[in-house]
């Protein structure tokens, strides 16, 4: 499959405008183009499908509109904000949260949820940490709410403060957003503000319309329409668009090209602040993603570089700090800021490489031949003279395949090459013809 991207006049599903796709074979477009849901890669989660050239009857269009309407949240954001104000006024003994409906309940609603599981006595501290109160949506491709571990979250926030940023556009990073909100409410001198853009509408129960926008990062769709878009624009415009950074942590199963397209639109929104000198500049950004997507991200953002810092998650079995070898988290920070500015904690084993002018992990040794610190996964890599590059320590040069690979591999498979264009040397996910 190849993504052709957002198309003007595309039909919509409950997740906003659909994206246009085409089946490919050997790098050539084959078959009819079709629209599918931007957010859900799995048809079980959203089965929207329409051929590009299909004539859709009035009846079906009306039925689709009705379906989309019926799949919108029960309360509007404004209603949720009002309900929150009333909820906070209740004594703690009357504050209940329905775990099945994932909803704060007012006393008049208890009856309707009587056969559901409740969490009772909700404290103010719990209301300030909604990501711990809400049940994480762990569907890998749509939501993948793996939430930053406290260590990573604290590191990110300290780094942003040290770099002098005062506003954070938090795209799919609820933990970072709530840490900023919580600090701002507790410490008078804390001057960082955050706006959360997230597809999870449950957060609208805890944040005002100036703190949260319901947003789909796969098609740059603001569910709140022009008003929400304006909130985001205003947030970026403040202080002439200076000292603002975007931090994003997308689902790792998401399409890189769809994400890059949306992020470029957010950058264009920032550039639209029309301040001198912004015209050809990029809004500062941290894109948090696994290291093996490096080439894909650099295809879309050549100014980005990858930091060695390992980002950890609370509720992910594998992405935890302190593991060694292949068990380390593969998640990194990609940024368009100058690498030497990103100071990594020395107590966690990071050190500054004076040649590369950036912080690297302890196992990442500088290779004199490549003239850079080449390891991507935290282990020490080795240089292969025949491949003219550094490779993973577990790889060996195979004379049949004429490249380094795992010791146990079947040589004949390498002749196939990429499934999209048929050429050797890269996998389907990194095929240049996809972009």
């Amino acid at each position: 499959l190849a993504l052709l991207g957002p198309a003007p006049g595309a039909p919509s599903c409950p997740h906003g405008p659909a994206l246009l796709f085409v089946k490919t074979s050997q790098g050539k477009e084959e078959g009819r183009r079709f629209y599918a849901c931007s957010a859900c890669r799995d048809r079980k989660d959203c089965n929207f499908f329409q051929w590009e050239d299909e004539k859709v009857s009035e009846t079906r269009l009306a039925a689709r509109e009705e379906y989309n309407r019926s799949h919108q949240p029960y309360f509007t954001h404004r209603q949720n904000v009002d309900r929150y104000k009333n909820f906070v006024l209740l004594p703690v003994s009357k504050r209940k949260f329905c775990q099945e409906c994932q909803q704060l309940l007012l006393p008049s609603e208890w009856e309707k949820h009587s056969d559901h599981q409740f969490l009772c006595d909700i404290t103010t501290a719990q209301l300030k940490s909604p990501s711990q109160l809400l049940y994480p949506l762990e569907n890998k491709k749509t939501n993948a709410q793996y939430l930053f571990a406290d260590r990573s979250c604290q590191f990110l926030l300290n780094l942003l403060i040290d770099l002098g940023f005062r506003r954070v556009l938090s795209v799919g990073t609820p933990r970072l957003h709530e840490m900023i909100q919580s600090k701002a409410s507790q410490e008078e001198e804390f001057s960082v503000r955050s706006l959360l853009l997230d597809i999870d509408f449950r957060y609208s129960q805890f944040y005002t319309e100036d703190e949260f926008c319901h947003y789909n990062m796969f098609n740059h769709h603001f569910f709140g329409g022009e008003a929400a878009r304006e909130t985001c624009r205003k947030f970026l415009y403040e202080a002439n668009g200076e000292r603002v950074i975007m931090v994003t942590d997308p689902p790792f199963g998401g399409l890189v090209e769809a994400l890059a397209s949306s992020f470029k639109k957010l950058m264009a929104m920032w550039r639209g602040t029309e301040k001198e000198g912004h015209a050809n500049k990029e809004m500062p950004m941290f894109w948090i993603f696994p290291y093996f997507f490096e080439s894909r991200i650099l295809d879309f953002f050549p100014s980005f570089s990858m930091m060695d810092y390992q980002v950890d998650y609370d509720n992910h079995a594998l992405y935890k700090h302190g593991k060694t070898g292949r068990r380390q988290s593969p998640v990194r920070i990609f940024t368009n800021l100058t690498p030497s500015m990103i100071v990594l904690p020395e107590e966690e084993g990071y050190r500054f490489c004076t040649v590369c002018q950036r912080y690297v992990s302890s196992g990442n040794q500088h290779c004199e031949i490549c003239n850079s610190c080449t390891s991507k996964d935290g282990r020490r890599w080795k240089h292969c003279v025949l491949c003219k590059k550094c490779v993973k320590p577990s790889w060996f040069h195979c004379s049949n395949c004429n490249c380094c690979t795992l010791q146990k591999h079947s040589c004949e498979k390498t002749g196939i090459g990429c499934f999209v264009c048929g050429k050797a040397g890269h996998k389907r996910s990194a095929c240049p013809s996809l972009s």
Side-chain angles (χ1 to χ4, degrees), residues 165 167-169 171 197 232 235-237 241 243-247 262-271 273 278 280-286 301 303-304 335-337:
F165 292 107
R167 277 167 302 125
V168 183
L169 186 65
V171 184
L197 306 187
C232 182
F235 183 80
L236 296 174
Y237 278 24
R243 302 213 292 181
V244 63
I245 185 169
M246 173 175 153
V247 181
S262 294
F263 299 160
K264 283 184 174 173
K265 285 173 184 163
L266 286 170
M267 281 186 171
M269 202 185 257
W270 169 80
R271 234 180 260 123
T273 51
H278 277 189
N280 302 313
K281 274 167 72 178
E282 286 181 338
M283 168 165 63
M285 179 168 155
F286 283 169
F301 293 106
S303 64
F304 279 37
T335 182
N336 49 7
L337 297 176

Side-chain angles (χ1 to χ4, degrees), residues 137-395:
L137 305 169
E138 291 182 0
N139 173 321
K140 283 187 182 55
K141 291 179 176 158
T142 315
N143 306 92
Q145 282 180 338
Y146 297 117
L147 304 162
F148 292 146
D150 262 356
R151 162 192 159 269
S152 288
C153 208
Q154 197 65 64
F155 163 75
L156 277 169
L157 183 52
N158 291 343
L159 179 60
L160 297 174
I161 294 167
D162 291 344
L163 289 167
F165 292 107
R166 288 293 166 263
R167 277 167 302 125
V168 183
L169 186 65
S170 304
V171 184
T173 56
R175 270 272 158 95
L176 181 64
H177 175 73
E178 74 186 34
M179 188 178 268
I180 293 171
Q181 295 287 104
S182 166
K183 275 191 190 293
S185 66
Q186 286 161 22
E187 304 167 22
E188 272 180 42
E189 67 283 0
F190 187 79
S191 56
V192 181
R193 287 177 42 247
S194 169
L195 171 65
L196 176 64
L197 306 187
D198 204 292
I199 198 166
D200 186 352
F201 190 68
R202 298 176 304 171
Y203 285 106
S204 68
Q205 298 177 83
F206 304 90
Y207 300 123
T208 66
E209 287 146 307
D210 286 339
E211 297 166 335
F212 168 76
C213 295
H214 191 201
Y215 175 77
N216 178 349
M217 66 171 96
F218 290 106
N219 59 2
H220 186 58
H221 177 65
F222 287 88
F223 293 86
E226 201 42 53
R229 192 182 287 273
E230 194 47 45
T231 299
C232 182
R233 202 181 285 123
K234 229 164 60 187
F235 183 80
L236 296 174
Y237 278 24
E238 259 174 66
N240 294 344
E242 298 301 326
R243 302 213 292 181
V244 63
I245 185 169
M246 173 175 153
V247 181
T248 182
D249 181 33
F252 304 149
L255 288 167
V256 174
E257 42 273 84
L259 293 167
S261 164
S262 294
F263 299 160
K264 283 184 174 173
K265 285 173 184 163
L266 286 170
M267 281 186 171
M269 202 185 257
W270 169 80
R271 234 180 260 123
T273 51
E274 288 306 330
K275 299 297 166 267
E276 299 72 50
H278 277 189
N280 302 313
K281 274 167 72 178
E282 286 181 338
M283 168 165 63
M285 179 168 155
F286 283 169
W287 179 343
I288 292 156
F289 225 51
Y291 70 80
F292 35 83
F293 284 102
E294 183 182 22
S295 62
R296 298 292 292 128
I297 290 177
L298 298 188
D299 280 345
F300 296 103
F301 293 106
S303 64
F304 279 37
S305 48
M306 186 177 84
M307 301 297 100
D308 268 20
Y309 183 79
Q310 295 185 12
V311 180
D312 302 320
Y313 294 81
D314 257 357
N315 52 332
H316 198 296
L318 297 179
Y319 302 171
K320 288 254 200 310
H321 180 58
K323 298 200 171 178
T324 52
R326 303 223 32 196
R327 278 282 168 257
Q328 297 175 77
S329 169
V331 186
R332 303 287 182 269
I333 299 169
F334 292 87
T335 182
N336 49 7
L337 297 176
T338 311
S340 58
M341 293 163 64
I342 316 289
V343 179
L344 303 186
E346 288 179 10
E347 65 277 10
E348 288 180 24
Y350 298 101
R351 58 182 175 79
F352 191 74
C353 172
T354 48
V355 188
C356 295
Q357 281 293 296
R358 69 182 181 99
Y359 278 81
V360 294
S361 63
S362 51
N364 194 355
Q365 295 299 312
H366 193 86
C367 170
E368 299 297 337
I369 307 167
C370 298
N371 194 26
S372 80
C373 294
T374 48
S375 168
K376 308 284 185 198
D377 62 7
R379 297 179 293 169
R380 185 173 183 165
W381 284 22
K382 59 185 185 184
H383 191 86
C384 171
V385 186
L386 297 169
C387 290
K388 297 190 173 68
K389 63 178 184 181
C390 286
V391 295
K392 292 181 178 180
S394 51
W395 286 18

Side-chain angles (χ1 to χ4, degrees), residues 87-99:
F87 189 87
V88 177
L89 297 174
L90 297 169
V92 173
S93 60
K94 291 204 164 173
R95 291 184 188 170
K96 293 187 179 180
F97 176 76
C98 176
Q99 286 183 291

